[in-house]
Amino acid sequence: MSTNDDDLQKEIIEVCLRRGIVFPTAEIYGGAAGFFEYGPIGELVRQHLINLWREHFIASEENIYEISGSLILPEKVFEASGHLSTFNDPLIQCDKCKSMFRADHLLEEKDASINFDALSIQELEEMVKKYEVTCPSCGGSLGSPREFNLMFETQIGPVSGNRGFLRPETAQNIFINFKRIAHSMRAQLPFGVAQIGKAFRNEISPRNFLVRLREFEQMEIEMFVDPDELNNHPRWDEVADYEISILTREAQKTGGTPITVTVQEALDKGLIPNQYFGYYLALETEFLLSLGVDKDSFWFRHLLESETAHYSKGNYDLEIKFPFGIVECIGNAYRTDYDLMKHAEKSNTKMHIALPDGKKVIPHVIEPSFGVTRLFYVLLLASYQKGDREWTWFKFPYSVAPYEAVVAPLMKKDGLKEAAYDFFWELKDEGIDVIYDESGQIGKRYARSDEIGVPFVLTIDYQTLEDETVTIRDRDTTKQYRIPMAETAEVIRELIFNVITFQDLEKEYAELNGKESKKGKKTEQQKSASNKKRKQKKQKGN
Ligand code: GAP
């Protein structure tokens, strides 16, 4: 990490701590590596991020069902899924100070051009010797790498011998409930099952703030499809021309860069396994762009054969450039019928489903798997702004900002406080997501509001008491206009759903802002048109 990048991460962590965004777990006891907690502001942003994801990937689809499963699952589940035997990372220990590290990470620090993640334990041992890697803590010699299983183990009940594990992915609850879900929902293929929830991995070396944690959150979809229909996605036409960036296997071998292709081209060239897979790559690209992530800073990397699980017929990781390097934020896998077959065998439960013609199949699975915590950090990085203000601010997309507006009396005296407080409740009653802030000078309140990324501040001043107007201040430009109190809720809604821009307020309320109105008041017809536009935008989740 360069000094500037290092500073950026430190700055963001500092704002997160100071403004109630994210805190280290058990901070008063010195913290616990790999664990973080969301503060009051961070939790709102997290909820909004999750809601946006739900709108984009679930609510806008016909047939995706969401479940919420247990965090602890019995051993048999992970025997069947293969996690017990293969969910390992290469652990290496210093002979002298006994510190432990991930062997592939130590090697990456020596040579970033090689993908050590893909090497076997024997190959890693040879590489550690070749690169003469020593202990980063004390310089001592390192022992031989060995496999370390990442699952947290626990005992279920008071009697020992009944092992359980904290789930390392949310996916397994979906597979083990497949039969119940299919029957109870009378589901026909294709259909999806989604889950948002915690996952746990006992990472050898948690690092980089929210990137590698021991407790984190995932949003996963398992899309169940008739294996003969994988190239017959009902909404393919909507995405076929959508452009995505792909880092091909070829490019990785020759040091090339990502290419931009339409999903149709990716399919025609055999870069992606099927239409269902391509559909998700398009939706994910659209989702990342809606979070404000720069289109040149992410791509889908086709995992090399040596990195791809034996059951998968194709994995693409959505990788994003972070200040300290490249991070996988979404994993896409074509898991075939592997998981259902394994659970069918182990549990003696039939996992097939009948097609309308009576034929029975075990569906194939396309899995997009999102890390909430990593995407939350991506959002912080993509939104973080520094400019000519004395403070930094988060330019969050309106859809994920912690609140829509702050209501602030200019002073606490002369009836301003009471007027502001009443106005705050009126806006709340009208469904606007507002917070009230009367503490400190107004400039400080603007700074606080910007720092947590609230789009607008509504200030109640002496003029408010005379003419029932307020000022609305824009986070991104710091411009302010006067608007009528009675129309504020509607204005905020129109701004949030991008029906109007902040600049439009200058013309719309020209008389209040020292200019002659060109437009005049909105007609009923215009109002109904803007309502319609807003509804359409809302459906898109932007
Ligand atoms: N069910 C498939 C699965 O779990 P994965 O690539 O291991 O696939 C999916 O994980 C996503 O979960 C990753 O892309 C990442 O965003 C997130 N994730 C995985 N391990 C994580 C960790 N230790 N800390 C934070 N997020 C993690």
Side-chain angles (χ1 to χ4, degrees):
M1 204 191 306
S2 76
T3 315
N4 280 348
D5 295 340
D6 204 8
D7 287 349
L8 175 65
Q9 179 149 298
K10 276 193 191 136
E11 276 177 33
I12 290 186
I13 294 174
E14 194 274 326
V15 182
C16 283
L17 294 175
R18 194 159 41 82
R19 291 289 173 227
I21 299 175
V22 172
F23 309 133
T25 296
E27 191 182 9
I28 59 168
Y29 293 106
F35 296 88
F36 272 93
E37 294 177 4
Y38 293 95
I41 298 301
E43 174 56 8
L44 290 171
V45 176
R46 184 193 75 93
Q47 285 177 14
H48 295 164
L49 174 64
I50 288 174
N51 287 343
L52 191 67
W53 182 86
R54 268 203 186 98
E55 278 174 30
H56 200 85
F57 291 95
I58 301 185
S60 56
E61 301 287 339
E62 189 187 331
N63 53 357
I64 301 194
Y65 312 109
E66 196 179 331
I67 63 161
S68 178
S70 299
L71 308 189
I72 295 176
L73 294 170
E75 182 171 11
K76 283 193 172 136
V77 173
F78 300 111
E79 274 172 15
S81 68
H83 283 88
L84 211 50
S85 50
T86 60
F87 198 59
N88 303 323
D89 272 346
L91 173 75
I92 196 162
Q93 189 168 24
C94 172
D95 291 331
K96 201 167 145 203
C97 72
K98 306 295 175 204
S99 299
M100 296 188 195
F101 307 94
R102 246 180 85 166
D104 53 334
H105 286 173
L106 294 187
L107 284 158
E108 267 162 31
E109 281 162 22
K110 292 276 175 188
D111 186 348
S113 67
I114 300 181
N115 186 354
F116 294 102
D117 197 19
L119 302 188
S120 68
I121 285 286
Q122 288 72 23
E123 287 166 329
L124 285 171
E125 183 156 19
E126 283 158 26
M127 287 291 176
V128 168
K129 284 188 192 133
K130 182 177 162 195
Y131 283 92
E132 297 177 346
V133 184
T134 53
C135 172
S137 304
C138 75
S141 63
L142 296 167
S144 298
R146 66 179 166 88
E147 300 281 17
F148 171 76
N149 192 285
L150 295 183
M151 285 197 295
F152 282 98
E153 186 182 330
T154 188
Q155 290 294 328
I156 301 178
V159 184
S160 63
N162 196 5
R163 288 209 297 174
F165 293 88
L166 273 74
R167 64 185 185 192
E169 58 171 5
T170 60
Q172 292 307 319
N173 301 88
I174 296 177
F175 297 128
I176 58 181
N177 283 301
F178 171 77
K179 205 178 149 200
R180 282 268 178 225
I181 298 167
H183 285 180
S184 58
M185 301 309 290
R186 298 183 310 283
Q188 297 276 313
L189 295 181
F191 71 90
V193 182
Q195 189 174 196
I196 299 167
K198 288 280 175 90
F200 305 83
R201 298 182 188 179
N202 199 2
E203 296 284 353
I204 296 168
S205 46
R207 57 183 184 171
N208 285 329
F209 190 35
L210 303 177
V211 169
R212 191 169 298 280
L213 297 173
R214 288 178 167 142
E215 176 177 336
F216 55 97
E217 212 173 1
Q218 292 185 319
M219 305 184 280
E220 298 199 295
I221 301 172
E222 309 302 321
M223 195 69 205
F224 297 99
V225 188
D226 174 353
D228 291 336
E229 294 291 315
L230 285 157
N231 275 323
N232 195 14
H233 192 291
R235 297 177 75 176
W236 181 248
D237 288 349
E238 291 175 35
V239 300
D241 294 334
Y242 202 87
E243 287 190 339
I244 55 173
S245 282
I246 290 188
L247 186 59
T248 62
R249 284 183 172 167
E250 198 52 39
Q252 290 169 69
K253 285 175 196 152
T254 57
T257 49
I259 52 165
T260 302
V261 284
T262 64
V263 275
Q264 181 69 59
E265 283 162 355
L267 187 67
D268 294 344
K269 289 181 179 163
L271 294 175
I272 53 173
N274 52 57
Q275 284 189 359
Y276 276 82
F277 204 93
Y279 181 75
Y280 279 106
L281 302 195
L283 252 59
E284 288 165 25
T285 303
E286 197 180 47
F287 184 66
L288 270 257
L289 294 176
S290 80
L291 292 182
V293 183
D294 178 38
K295 76 171 178 31
D296 296 325
S297 68
F298 68 92
W299 54 82
F300 295 98
R301 184 171 76 82
H302 192 183
L303 298 199
L304 301 176
E305 253 163 72
S306 51
E307 298 172 280
T308 308
H310 57 284
Y311 56 81
S312 172
K313 280 202 187 155
N315 275 67
Y316 273 86
D317 283 355
L318 184 135
E319 295 186 331
I320 307 187
K321 259 191 243 158
F322 272 58
F324 41 80
I326 290 161
V327 177
E328 173 214 329
C329 291
I330 307 172
N332 292 286
Y334 172 24
R335 290 179 85 132
T336 65
D337 56 6
Y338 178 86
D339 299 87
L340 289 181
M341 293 281 261
K342 286 285 164 195
H343 287 300
E345 274 166 37
K346 181 90 189 164
S347 65
N348 221 357
T349 307
K350 291 199 172 90
M351 294 286 187
H352 54 245
I353 192 164
L355 299 176
D357 64 6
K359 201 173 89 187
K360 287 182 178 167
V361 293
I362 297 211
H364 276 209
V365 170
I366 309 297
E367 178 198 64
S369 170
F370 299 67
V372 178
T373 333
R374 286 189 191 171
L375 286 174
F376 183 90
Y377 191 19
V378 167
L379 189 59
L380 295 182
L381 286 166
S383 310
Y384 190 66
Q385 305 288 317
K386 287 182 194 191
D388 51 4
R389 302 177 209 179
E390 283 169 26
W391 54 88
T392 62
W393 72 100
F394 287 112
K395 196 176 174 179
F396 290 134
Y398 296 157
S399 48
V400 296
Y403 301 99
E404 290 169 345
V406 175
V407 173
L410 184 66
M411 311 265 187
K412 281 192 248 177
K413 57 186 184 180
D414 302 329
L416 294 179
K417 173 183 165 140
E418 290 73 15
Y421 198 56
D422 286 349
F423 185 49
F424 159 75
W425 278 111
E426 274 166 32
L427 290 176
K428 258 179 149 0
D429 286 348
E430 292 216 46
I432 303 295
D433 193 5
V434 274
I435 182 169
Y436 176 77
D437 187 4
E438 61 172 31
S439 87
Q441 287 175 344
I442 192 73
K444 287 232 167 82
R445 281 178 270 162
Y446 289 156
R448 265 205 303 272
S449 169
D450 286 355
E451 274 189 305
I452 59 169
V454 181
F456 307 107
V457 181
L458 302 161
T459 307
I460 277 64
D461 56 16
Y462 287 101
Q463 194 176 326
T464 310
L465 304 182
E466 286 167 21
D467 65 2
E468 299 196 341
T469 63
V470 293
T471 64
I472 179 165
R473 173 186 177 276
D474 178 39
R475 172 196 69 193
D476 300 335
T477 59
T478 73
K479 277 193 177 162
Q480 299 193 31
Y481 295 116
R482 285 206 90 79
I483 56 172
M485 281 175 120
E487 288 175 36
T488 303
E490 183 61 12
V491 165
I492 301 246
R493 266 193 287 272
E494 292 197 342
L495 288 167
I496 294 290
F497 292 117
N498 299 320
V499 177
I500 56 169
T501 66
F502 193 77
Q503 200 51 46
D504 291 338
L505 296 179
E506 187 179 19
K507 273 191 196 164
E508 182 99 17
Y509 297 103
E511 307 94 329
L512 296 176
N513 291 289
K515 300 209 168 122
E516 213 175 297
S517 173
K518 293 195 184 100
K519 283 173 77 186
K521 273 249 164 252
K522 265 193 203 160
T523 63
E524 281 310 310
Q525 206 178 1
Q526 282 168 327
K527 275 189 188 166
S528 121
S530 67
N531 275 344
K532 200 167 154 201
K533 205 170 159 193
R534 197 176 61 236
K535 271 187 202 142
Q536 281 163 355
K537 292 254 176 191
K538 189 169 180 188
Q539 275 159 8
K540 283 189 189 159
N542 287 321

